Amino acid sequence: MPPSLDQDVSDDETSLQTRTGLVLRLRNAKATDETELAAFFDDVSPEDLRFRFLSAVQHVGHDQLVAMLSADDQRTQTVLALDESGALVGVATLAADTAGQTAEVAVSVRRDRKAQGIGWSLLRYVAQVARTRGILRLQSIESRDNHAAIEVERELGFSARAYP
């Protein structure tokens, strides 16, 4: 069953139910979320950090966090996914080019919350946001070794091809 979106939660939040039945609260990240976001990335596996940042990142630093949190809603947006207890379990970032026609998406899920449909649902949600904004091309740059992410992206209609 596809995730369902409930746009009536509030102006700042959206409720989303994953394919596995998990209910998430989605909201845009704010500058005050830096400490929570840093703790979240400390709970992402080293391999997933490497896949997310396409380099051997041991710890997500202040500058990287600020870049995610100083998003303007026109070009860059970071969405936080919180579970029923309010714990941050997933993060998705959408970054569009200056023309607003092409955007890149990156999704991360906390290591102990994988295989619950969080990444799939976040990617689908961000794809809907991109479509609503009129973005014509959505891409995700993945390591060839990130087979799980590539499969999820294919399920959602992305096509995989080599990127120089």
Side-chain angles (χ1 to χ4, degrees), residues 37-56:
L37 195 58
F40 166 81
F41 280 113
D42 287 342
D43 283 332
V44 171
S45 74
E47 180 180 54
D48 285 343
L49 281 176
R50 182 173 59 84
F51 289 152
R52 166 62 175 81
F53 295 98
L54 298 174
S55 65

Side-chain angles (χ1 to χ4, degrees), residues 12 15 18 25-26 32 35 50 56 65 69 75 91 94 100 110 120 124 139 150 160 163:
D12 298 327
S15 176
T18 69
R25 243 183 32 225
L26 303 183
T32 57
T35 301
R50 182 173 59 84
L65 294 169
L69 295 172
R75 290 196 44 222
V91 174
L94 177 69
R110 212 172 70 192
W120 191 94
R124 182 173 180 267
Q139 60 189 13
I150 293 168
Y163 186 80

